[in-house]
Short mmCIF file of all heavy atoms in Angstrom, two decimals:
data_model
loop_
_atom_site.label_atom_id
_atom_site.label_comp_id
_atom_site.label_asym_id
_atom_site.label_seq_id
_atom_site.Cartn_x
_atom_site.Cartn_y
_atom_site.Cartn_z
N SER A 12 94.41 114.59 107.46
CA SER A 12 94.30 114.33 108.90
C SER A 12 95.13 115.30 109.73
O SER A 12 94.91 115.45 110.93
CB SER A 12 94.75 112.91 109.23
OG SER A 12 96.14 112.78 108.96
N GLY A 13 96.10 115.94 109.09
CA GLY A 13 97.00 116.82 109.82
C GLY A 13 98.11 116.06 110.54
O GLY A 13 98.95 116.68 111.21
N ARG A 14 98.17 114.73 110.36
CA ARG A 14 99.22 113.95 111.03
C ARG A 14 100.57 114.15 110.34
O ARG A 14 100.65 114.29 109.10
CB ARG A 14 98.85 112.47 111.07
CG ARG A 14 97.67 112.11 111.95
CD ARG A 14 97.52 110.59 112.04
NE ARG A 14 96.39 110.20 112.85
CZ ARG A 14 95.18 109.85 112.38
NH1 ARG A 14 94.99 109.86 111.08
NH2 ARG A 14 94.21 109.52 113.21
N VAL A 15 101.60 114.11 111.18
CA VAL A 15 103.00 114.23 110.68
C VAL A 15 103.77 113.06 111.25
O VAL A 15 103.68 112.75 112.43
CB VAL A 15 103.65 115.56 111.12
CG1 VAL A 15 105.09 115.62 110.64
CG2 VAL A 15 102.85 116.75 110.55
N LEU A 16 104.56 112.43 110.38
CA LEU A 16 105.49 111.38 110.81
C LEU A 16 106.89 111.80 110.42
O LEU A 16 107.14 112.17 109.27
CB LEU A 16 105.14 110.03 110.13
CG LEU A 16 106.20 108.92 110.30
CD1 LEU A 16 106.26 108.43 111.72
CD2 LEU A 16 105.95 107.79 109.32
N ARG A 17 107.80 111.77 111.39
CA ARG A 17 109.23 111.99 111.10
C ARG A 17 109.97 110.69 111.40
O ARG A 17 109.68 110.02 112.38
CB ARG A 17 109.80 113.12 111.97
CG ARG A 17 109.18 114.47 111.70
CD ARG A 17 109.49 115.46 112.79
NE ARG A 17 110.92 115.61 113.01
CZ ARG A 17 111.52 115.53 114.22
NH1 ARG A 17 110.78 115.30 115.29
NH2 ARG A 17 112.82 115.68 114.33
N VAL A 18 110.90 110.33 110.52
CA VAL A 18 111.69 109.10 110.69
C VAL A 18 113.14 109.51 110.89
O VAL A 18 113.74 110.16 110.03
CB VAL A 18 111.56 108.18 109.46
CG1 VAL A 18 112.42 106.93 109.65
CG2 VAL A 18 110.10 107.79 109.23
N LEU A 19 113.67 109.16 112.06
CA LEU A 19 115.05 109.47 112.39
C LEU A 19 115.84 108.14 112.48
O LEU A 19 115.28 107.12 112.84
CB LEU A 19 115.15 110.23 113.71
CG LEU A 19 114.45 111.60 113.74
CD1 LEU A 19 113.05 111.44 114.26
CD2 LEU A 19 115.22 112.61 114.58
N THR A 20 117.13 108.20 112.18
CA THR A 20 117.91 106.98 112.17
C THR A 20 119.38 107.27 112.28
O THR A 20 119.84 108.39 112.03
CB THR A 20 117.63 106.20 110.84
OG1 THR A 20 118.35 104.95 110.89
CG2 THR A 20 118.12 106.99 109.62
N GLU A 21 120.14 106.24 112.67
CA GLU A 21 121.60 106.28 112.60
C GLU A 21 122.12 105.64 111.33
O GLU A 21 123.31 105.67 111.06
CB GLU A 21 122.18 105.52 113.82
CG GLU A 21 121.85 106.19 115.17
CD GLU A 21 122.36 105.37 116.33
OE1 GLU A 21 122.88 104.26 116.12
OE2 GLU A 21 122.23 105.87 117.48
N GLU A 22 121.25 105.02 110.57
CA GLU A 22 121.63 104.31 109.37
C GLU A 22 122.08 105.24 108.24
O GLU A 22 121.67 106.41 108.20
CB GLU A 22 120.45 103.44 108.87
CG GLU A 22 120.20 102.22 109.75
CD GLU A 22 121.34 101.24 109.69
OE1 GLU A 22 121.58 100.64 108.63
OE2 GLU A 22 122.02 101.07 110.72
N PRO A 23 122.88 104.75 107.28
CA PRO A 23 123.37 105.57 106.20
C PRO A 23 122.40 105.73 105.04
O PRO A 23 122.67 106.46 104.09
CB PRO A 23 124.63 104.87 105.75
CG PRO A 23 124.36 103.42 106.03
CD PRO A 23 123.55 103.41 107.29
N ALA A 24 121.23 105.04 105.09
CA ALA A 24 120.30 105.11 103.97
C ALA A 24 118.88 104.78 104.47
O ALA A 24 118.70 104.28 105.59
CB ALA A 24 120.71 104.12 102.88
N VAL A 25 117.93 105.04 103.59
CA VAL A 25 116.53 104.68 103.90
C VAL A 25 115.87 104.23 102.60
O VAL A 25 116.05 104.88 101.54
CB VAL A 25 115.76 105.87 104.54
CG1 VAL A 25 115.67 107.04 103.59
CG2 VAL A 25 114.37 105.41 104.98
N GLN A 26 115.17 103.11 102.65
CA GLN A 26 114.41 102.61 101.49
C GLN A 26 113.02 103.24 101.53
O GLN A 26 112.31 103.12 102.50
CB GLN A 26 114.30 101.10 101.52
CG GLN A 26 113.61 100.51 100.31
CD GLN A 26 114.53 100.22 99.15
OE1 GLN A 26 115.74 100.45 99.24
NE2 GLN A 26 114.00 99.71 98.06
N PHE A 27 112.66 103.91 100.43
CA PHE A 27 111.31 104.45 100.28
C PHE A 27 110.52 103.55 99.32
O PHE A 27 110.94 103.36 98.19
CB PHE A 27 111.34 105.89 99.77
CG PHE A 27 109.97 106.40 99.34
CD1 PHE A 27 108.87 106.24 100.14
CD2 PHE A 27 109.84 107.08 98.11
CE1 PHE A 27 107.62 106.69 99.73
CE2 PHE A 27 108.59 107.56 97.72
CZ PHE A 27 107.49 107.36 98.52
N TYR A 28 109.42 103.03 99.82
CA TYR A 28 108.58 102.13 99.01
C TYR A 28 107.16 102.67 99.01
O TYR A 28 106.61 102.96 100.08
CB TYR A 28 108.60 100.72 99.61
CG TYR A 28 107.63 99.76 99.01
CD1 TYR A 28 107.60 99.52 97.65
CD2 TYR A 28 106.72 99.04 99.81
CE1 TYR A 28 106.69 98.62 97.08
CE2 TYR A 28 105.82 98.14 99.27
CZ TYR A 28 105.81 97.91 97.92
OH TYR A 28 104.91 97.03 97.37
N SER A 29 106.56 102.84 97.83
CA SER A 29 105.27 103.48 97.72
C SER A 29 104.10 102.50 97.55
O SER A 29 103.06 102.84 97.00
CB SER A 29 105.26 104.49 96.55
OG SER A 29 105.70 103.90 95.33
N GLY A 30 104.26 101.26 98.02
CA GLY A 30 103.16 100.29 98.01
C GLY A 30 102.76 99.83 96.64
O GLY A 30 101.58 99.53 96.39
N ASN A 31 103.74 99.69 95.74
CA ASN A 31 103.44 99.40 94.33
C ASN A 31 102.95 97.98 94.09
O ASN A 31 102.36 97.69 93.03
CB ASN A 31 104.68 99.64 93.46
CG ASN A 31 105.37 100.93 93.84
OD1 ASN A 31 104.77 101.98 93.89
ND2 ASN A 31 106.66 100.86 94.11
N PHE A 32 103.25 97.04 95.00
CA PHE A 32 102.86 95.66 94.81
C PHE A 32 101.61 95.28 95.58
O PHE A 32 101.17 94.14 95.53
CB PHE A 32 104.03 94.74 95.15
CG PHE A 32 105.23 94.93 94.25
CD1 PHE A 32 106.30 95.70 94.66
CD2 PHE A 32 105.24 94.39 92.99
CE1 PHE A 32 107.39 95.89 93.85
CE2 PHE A 32 106.33 94.57 92.14
CZ PHE A 32 107.41 95.33 92.57
N LEU A 33 101.03 96.23 96.32
CA LEU A 33 99.72 96.01 96.94
C LEU A 33 98.67 96.01 95.84
O LEU A 33 98.71 96.83 94.92
CB LEU A 33 99.43 97.08 97.95
CG LEU A 33 100.42 97.20 99.15
CD1 LEU A 33 100.14 98.46 99.96
CD2 LEU A 33 100.32 95.96 100.03
N ASP A 34 97.68 95.11 95.94
CA ASP A 34 96.70 95.02 94.85
C ASP A 34 95.26 94.90 95.32
O ASP A 34 94.37 94.62 94.52
CB ASP A 34 97.06 93.83 93.95
CG ASP A 34 97.04 92.49 94.68
OD1 ASP A 34 96.64 92.47 95.88
OD2 ASP A 34 97.42 91.47 94.06
N GLY A 35 95.02 95.09 96.62
CA GLY A 35 93.66 95.01 97.12
C GLY A 35 93.17 93.62 97.38
O GLY A 35 92.01 93.42 97.73
N SER A 36 94.04 92.62 97.23
CA SER A 36 93.61 91.23 97.44
C SER A 36 93.53 90.81 98.88
O SER A 36 93.02 89.76 99.24
CB SER A 36 94.54 90.27 96.68
OG SER A 36 95.88 90.37 97.17
N THR A 37 94.09 91.65 99.78
CA THR A 37 94.01 91.36 101.21
C THR A 37 93.39 92.60 101.92
O THR A 37 93.35 93.69 101.39
CB THR A 37 95.38 91.09 101.83
OG1 THR A 37 96.23 92.25 101.69
CG2 THR A 37 96.07 89.90 101.15
N SER A 38 92.96 92.33 103.16
CA SER A 38 92.40 93.43 103.97
C SER A 38 92.60 93.09 105.44
O SER A 38 92.93 91.97 105.81
CB SER A 38 90.92 93.62 103.66
OG SER A 38 90.21 92.44 104.00
N GLY A 39 92.39 94.11 106.28
CA GLY A 39 92.50 93.90 107.70
C GLY A 39 92.47 95.22 108.44
O GLY A 39 92.72 96.28 107.86
N MET A 40 92.11 95.18 109.70
CA MET A 40 92.04 96.36 110.52
C MET A 40 91.16 97.44 109.90
O MET A 40 91.42 98.63 109.97
CB MET A 40 93.45 96.93 110.80
CG MET A 40 94.45 95.92 111.35
SD MET A 40 93.98 95.27 112.96
CE MET A 40 94.28 96.68 114.01
N GLY A 41 90.11 96.99 109.20
CA GLY A 41 89.15 97.91 108.63
C GLY A 41 89.56 98.53 107.32
O GLY A 41 88.88 99.46 106.84
N GLN A 42 90.66 98.05 106.71
CA GLN A 42 91.11 98.65 105.47
C GLN A 42 91.38 97.57 104.42
O GLN A 42 91.92 96.49 104.72
CB GLN A 42 92.40 99.43 105.66
CG GLN A 42 92.28 100.71 106.48
CD GLN A 42 93.54 101.52 106.40
OE1 GLN A 42 93.84 102.16 105.41
NE2 GLN A 42 94.30 101.52 107.50
N GLN A 43 91.04 97.89 103.15
CA GLN A 43 91.50 97.08 102.02
C GLN A 43 92.94 97.53 101.71
O GLN A 43 93.27 98.72 101.74
CB GLN A 43 90.61 97.34 100.80
CG GLN A 43 90.68 96.29 99.74
CD GLN A 43 89.81 95.08 100.04
OE1 GLN A 43 88.97 95.15 100.94
NE2 GLN A 43 90.03 93.98 99.34
#
């Protein structure tokens, strides 16, 4: 898409989560 997201913060850390517990059992807003 060419979209870029930058996340800025004053916090000392950031949790990165790659959606490992999503399993396709729910949907919404046009997406599984």
Side-chain angles (χ1 to χ4, degrees):
S12 66
R14 292 188 181 98
V15 177
L16 169 70
R17 296 165 56 230
V18 179
L19 299 92
T20 184
E21 296 176 354
E22 287 294 293
V25 62
Q26 183 88 0
F27 168 47
Y28 171 54
S29 53
N31 316 308
F32 296 99
L33 299 170
D34 60 6
S36 61
T37 63
S38 62
M40 308 298 288
Q42 292 190 73
Q43 199 81 14

